[in-house]
Amino acid sequence: MKVLIVGSGGREHAIAASVAKSSRVDKIYCAPGNAGIGKIAECVNIGAMEFDKLVAFAKENEIDFTIIGMDDPLVGGVVDAFEEAGLKVFGPRKNAAILEGSKAFSKDLMKKYNIPTAGYETFDDPKKALAYLETAKMPIVLKADGLALGKGVLICNTLEEAKAGVKEIMEDKKFGSAGNNMVVEEFMTGREVSVLSFVDGKSIQIMSSAQDHKRAKDGDQGLNTGGMGTFSPSPFYTAEVDEFCKKYVYQATVDAMAAEGREFKGVIFFGLMLTEEGPKVLEYNARFGDPEAQVVLPRMKNDIIDVMEACVDGTLDQLTLEFEDNAAVCVVLASDGYPVAYEKGFEITGEENFAGKDGYYCFHAGTALNEAGKVVTNGGRVLGITAKGNDLKEARANAYEATKWVSFENKYMRNDIGKAIDEA
Ligand code: AMP
Ligand code: GLY
C-alpha cells in the first residue's frame, strides 16, 4: 500500500521509520518532510496546512492511508477534508482535535466528567482575569487557550508576574488569537509523565510511558521548548499510577468525548503530573509527542499500520499492543539559541556513523537539503539522537555516545537528559 505522512519534524521521521518497517507498505510519501525523512520516503513540497493540495495529491497518487503527525492541521480540520474526499486517514476530526486545540474546552470536559486535573477559571476579559488574580494564591499558572507551539503556558510566582502575564497573553497577544481566552490554573508540583495512547472512538490502548524535558537548559532552567529530550519507559509510571489512570483518566476521557458527540480516533497524549494527591492531567494533545514518539515508537513491536487502521476502523480492542522489554533515550541536538534566535544553514556531518548500528537512530527535525545537495540545519531542534539499551542507564549512555557521531556548527544539547533515572 501507499502511505502519506503529513508533517516535517522528528516525530514524523519516527513515524516514517515505523511505517517503513511494515511489510504492508510499498511506498511512503511525506508532506513536506525533511532531509532525513527524504531517505526513506518521497518528500512532497506541500505544506501541512494546504488541505486542498494534500487531498488532491492523495487522490492523484492513489494513497491508501494518510497519517497526520502535527497538531495544527488536525485542529484545523485536515481529517475532515480527507474524509469528505473518501480518503482513509489517521487522526481526530476537527470536533475531536479541540481536545488539544482549546485548553478551556479540555478543562471544562475534565470538570464535567470528573477527570482529575488542577482547579481553574477561564477568562475572555483581561480586566476580570486581573481582578481574579488579586486574591488568588501564588504561584499560579496562566495558559493561552489555543495552540502556541507549547509556549503559551506561564508559571507566575508573584502577582506582578501574573499581571504581566495577562498583558502578554490577552492584551499584547504574544501568542496571537490563542490568547483570546485564557485559563488560570492552580499550580501543582510533582513529576511529569507523558502517556501516549491509540484510540478508536470507543476503546483505548496505552503505549509505553515516557518523560520529556521541556526546558532549554540543564537542571530544568531556561525557557520552555518543544522538548529537549525524552526517555521511555518512565520508572515513575508505577503499576499503581497505571491502575489509577486506567480507572479515572484514560477510558473516562474517551467516553467523555464520545458522550459529547466528539468521537476521538487517533492518538491521545496525556500529559500527567504525579502529585501528592495522585495523578492529575496537565494537558491533552491530539497527536504523538515530539520527542516522545522518538523513544516510544522504536520500542513498539506491532505493525504500526495494523494499529492505526484498527483505530480508523473501530477494531482496536481486537489487538494487543506490545513493547520491547528495554529502554530508549532521545537527546535533541538543537541550534544554539533555540527557542529564541539561532542561525541555520550549517552543514551536518557524520550521519553515516549510524549505518548498520541496530538500536541507534538519527531522527531529523529541522533539517533541509541545500542547493549543493548537502544536509544542513534548518530549525531550532535539528536532530533527535535516540538509542536503545537493556535499561534506561544503558540507553542514556548509548544515546550520549551517539551524540558525538554527528557535528554541525552551533550544536547545542542538554547534558542531563534522563538524570531523573538515577533517582528512581
Ligand atoms: P502544558 O502545555 O499545559 O503541558 O504546560 C507546559 C508545562 O507547564 C507542563 O509540562 C508543566 O511543566 C507546566 N505546567 C502546566 N500546568 C501546570 C500546573 N497546573 N502546575 C504546574 N506546572 C504546570
Ligand atoms: N513533547 C511535548 C509535546 O509534543 O507536546
Side-chain angles (χ1 to χ4, degrees):
M1 68 195 275
K2 291 192 205 171
V3 173
L4 168 66
I5 299 168
V6 176
S8 60
R11 166 183 48 213
E12 286 74 26
H13 195 177
I15 294 171
S18 285
V19 171
K21 284 198 302 189
S22 170
S23 56
R24 300 175 55 195
V25 175
D26 309 304
K27 171 95 188 166
I28 311 172
Y29 296 93
C30 188
N34 62 37
I37 297 173
K39 291 182 185 159
I40 50 175
E42 186 175 327
C43 293
V44 186
N45 192 17
I46 304 176
M49 295 305 286
E50 297 181 293
F51 299 172
D52 291 345
K53 286 189 187 168
L54 289 171
V55 167
F57 176 85
K59 280 185 143 176
E60 273 160 32
N61 291 278
E62 298 175 326
I63 301 294
D64 300 293
F65 196 72
T66 298
I67 301 165
I68 312 297
M70 293 169 72
D71 44 5
D72 282 317
L74 289 168
V75 170
V78 71
V79 167
D80 307 59
F82 271 73
E83 284 183 351
E84 276 156 27
L87 294 160
K88 202 161 185 179
V89 56
F90 176 81
R93 292 184 188 138
K94 184 174 182 168
N95 76 350
I98 191 174
L99 189 62
E100 171 166 6
S102 166
K103 294 202 188 274
F105 170 86
S106 72
K107 295 296 289 187
D108 290 347
L109 186 88
M110 287 187 267
K111 188 173 182 181
K112 182 169 173 189
Y113 292 92
N114 291 317
I115 297 165
T117 189
Y120 73 102
E121 297 286 335
T122 304
F123 297 94
D124 59 8
D125 176 354
K127 285 198 198 77
K128 288 189 180 146
L130 287 170
Y132 173 81
L133 288 166
E134 291 284 350
T135 58
K137 195 168 143 237
M138 301 292 144
I140 203 152
V141 185
L142 309 185
K143 298 185 173 184
D145 176 48
L147 293 182
L149 293 170
K151 291 167 194 157
V153 174
L154 305 178
I155 296 179
C156 307
N157 290 308
T158 63
L159 179 60
E160 265 39 61
E161 278 178 42
K163 283 181 176 169
V166 173
K167 184 166 182 299
E168 237 177 75
I169 293 176
M170 299 191 86
E171 289 172 351
D172 300 346
K173 293 276 160 76
K174 189 171 168 197
F175 309 104
S177 60
N180 290 351
N181 293 303
M182 185 181 77
V183 171
V184 177
E185 198 176 273
E186 170 201 349
F187 176 76
M188 304 189 285
T189 52
R191 284 194 187 278
E192 289 182 42
V193 184
S194 301
V195 177
L196 310 180
S197 67
F198 286 105
V199 181
D200 74 352
K202 304 180 294 289
S203 65
I204 176 163
Q205 298 224 22
I206 301 305
M207 296 178 231
S208 184
S209 61
Q211 184 179 320
D212 190 11
H213 299 66
K214 288 206 166 92
R215 302 293 200 95
K217 303 217 163 103
D218 283 6
D220 289 330
Q221 302 294 310
L223 294 171
N224 259 326
T225 70
M228 294 299 292
T230 40
F231 57 85
S232 171
S234 165
F236 307 103
Y237 189 80
T238 59
E240 195 187 352
V241 172
D242 186 58
E243 195 185 326
F244 180 92
C245 293
K246 282 188 172 136
K247 208 161 163 189
Y248 299 109
V249 177
Y250 304 144
Q251 189 67 46
T253 300
V254 176
D255 292 346
M257 290 298 282
E260 294 293 309
R262 298 173 182 274
E263 189 179 66
F264 194 106
K265 292 183 174 193
V267 168
I268 299 183
F269 165 148
F270 298 86
L272 302 175
M273 187 172 267
L274 309 180
T275 74
E276 279 190 352
E277 295 164 24
K280 293 190 182 181
V281 178
L282 276 173
E283 64 158 347
Y284 292 115
N285 294 311
R287 34 100 192 149
F288 286 97
D290 187 348
E292 282 87 343
Q294 288 90 312
V295 286
V296 172
L297 287 179
R299 300 181 48 241
M300 190 169 88
K301 291 191 196 170
N302 304 68
D303 183 317
I304 194 170
I305 297 295
D306 289 347
V307 181
M308 289 182 162
E309 224 173 35
C311 290
V312 179
D313 295 341
T315 55
L316 189 62
D317 56 345
Q318 288 168 30
L319 58 82
T320 310
L321 281 191
E322 286 185 79
F323 285 82
E324 291 169 3
D325 183 20
N326 57 9
V329 170
C330 172
V331 179
V332 169
L333 303 185
S335 301
D336 196 11
Y338 171 73
V340 184
Y342 48 83
E343 285 180 74
K344 47 193 193 181
F346 298 118
E347 188 179 345
I348 300 169
T349 56
E351 200 185 343
E352 64 281 2
N353 292 316
F354 285 80
K357 296 226 176 60
D358 252 9
Y360 290 85
Y361 306 81
C362 181
F363 293 123
H364 287 224
T367 70
L369 287 180
N370 70 7
E371 278 162 15
K374 300 249 193 267
V375 179
V376 294
T377 64
N378 191 40
R381 292 192 290 177
V382 177
L383 300 172
I385 304 299
T386 295
K388 292 182 190 172
N390 288 319
D391 58 22
L392 284 162
K393 284 188 182 170
E394 193 181 291
R396 178 178 57 187
N398 291 346
Y400 272 106
E401 181 58 30
T403 62
K404 298 177 196 156
W405 301 347
V406 272
S407 309
F408 55 88
E409 209 172 300
N410 239 9
K411 173 174 151 183
Y412 171 81
M413 66 182 167
R414 274 183 63 162
N415 294 295
D416 63 349
I417 300 302
K419 190 161 178 277
I421 296 164
D422 300 328
E423 296 155 29

